Amino acid sequence: MTIDWIAEAQRLAQGRRFDEFSSPSSGQDSSPAPLSEAQVCEAEAELGIIFPVEYREYLLRQSAGGAMNRLRRTAAGWGWQGDSSTNYDLLTLVFPHPDSYRAYEDELDAREPLEENFPDHDAYQQAWKQWDAEYEVFQERKTSGAVFIRDNGCGFSTLLVVTGPNRGTMWFDGRATCDQILPLHLDGRPVSFTHWLGRNSMDLLDW
């Protein structure tokens, strides 16, 4: 079955909550009060995930935000204030390790349409738009099962994985320059939420 990648890209784009959560909340760095157990349970039920233990404890004991995007409820429901990148429709899916999609990425790059291979410009434009939409969908799915927990500026973000074998670990979205999503490490081990707190994500990268 042929996939209409343009339609699929448009469908996936609806999973981002630009209007409700893209703007930083006032006083985001002033450590808003912790959430109650009832609030955390409500957020988990609505989002369809169970927060990693260390992040859950942080929400209950320390703050709903602070030096990271604040988890809060708006009229649209629960989400992370200051975040326009988390795709809520993909949040319950397993976070894919980069090794799992390298072959597909190479194959997709090799399939980029070249105008000289098409009989006319219109045919090339149609093929390229479908390929570009497939690439967009692929990039969106790379962060399935992860929350964009902090904006590091310059197009970089820190991710908290909430599903799958890597659940509870921290990753770095460096696609703005190196086109990679990289695990954070400390002393040769994957970084958990607690060990990440108070540290600069850039210092935890094995470039």
Side-chain angles (χ1 to χ4, degrees):
M1 182 179 67
T2 301
I3 298 175
D4 183 344
W5 289 108
I6 295 175
E8 178 64 7
Q10 292 172 343
R11 183 189 71 80
L12 276 188
Q14 297 174 6
R16 295 191 183 195
R17 300 182 182 177
F18 293 105
D19 295 338
E20 297 88 352
F21 294 111
S22 59
S23 299
S25 59
S26 58
Q28 182 174 343
D29 294 330
S30 62
S31 294
L35 301 176
S36 68
E37 177 70 27
Q39 288 174 315
V40 170
C41 289
E42 181 183 294
E44 290 176 323
E46 182 179 310
L47 296 168
I49 57 175
I50 299 298
F51 298 133
V53 173
E54 293 180 359
Y55 179 60
R56 197 176 197 278
E57 285 299 306
Y58 178 86
L59 293 172
L60 289 169
R61 310 298 176 202
Q62 296 191 48
S63 175
M68 67 200 72
N69 293 328
R70 177 183 179 182
L71 179 65
R72 66 190 296 259
R73 181 175 53 198
T74 70
W78 284 94
W80 286 269
Q81 192 73 38
D83 165 37
S84 62
S85 297
T86 296
N87 192 308
Y88 292 77
D89 289 347
L90 300 178
L91 201 55
T92 61
L93 301 183
V94 172
F95 174 75
H97 191 283
D99 289 345
S100 70
Y101 52 70
R102 293 192 199 283
Y104 173 63
E105 186 165 24
D106 290 342
E107 187 267 340
L108 183 58
D109 287 338
R111 281 196 285 112
E112 181 176 358
L114 301 176
E115 189 165 10
E116 58 263 30
N117 295 331
F118 290 85
D120 56 60
H121 183 71
D122 288 343
Y124 163 70
Q125 284 291 313
Q126 183 176 3
W128 193 89
K129 287 178 181 179
Q130 283 290 332
W131 177 88
D132 187 55
E134 183 180 356
Y135 197 85
E136 181 180 338
V137 168
F138 169 57
Q139 291 294 334
E140 193 75 5
R141 288 176 176 169
K142 281 184 177 182
T143 56
S144 298
V147 175
F148 284 71
I149 202 73
R150 178 188 289 171
D151 182 351
N152 295 98
C154 300
F156 299 127
S157 296
T158 300
L159 307 176
L160 168 64
V161 176
V162 296
T163 63
N166 295 289
R167 181 174 178 269
T169 60
M170 310 298 294
W171 291 64
F172 189 77
D173 186 353
R175 289 177 291 178
T177 56
C178 68
D179 200 30
Q180 295 184 66
I181 295 174
L182 303 163
L184 300 185
H185 286 100
L186 183 65
D187 299 327
R189 297 182 179 182
V191 174
S192 68
F193 178 79
T194 297
H195 289 121
W196 167 76
L197 281 174
R199 290 184 167 92
N200 187 328
S201 297
M202 300 285 283
D203 295 335
L204 301 171
L205 286 169
D206 296 329
W207 289 102

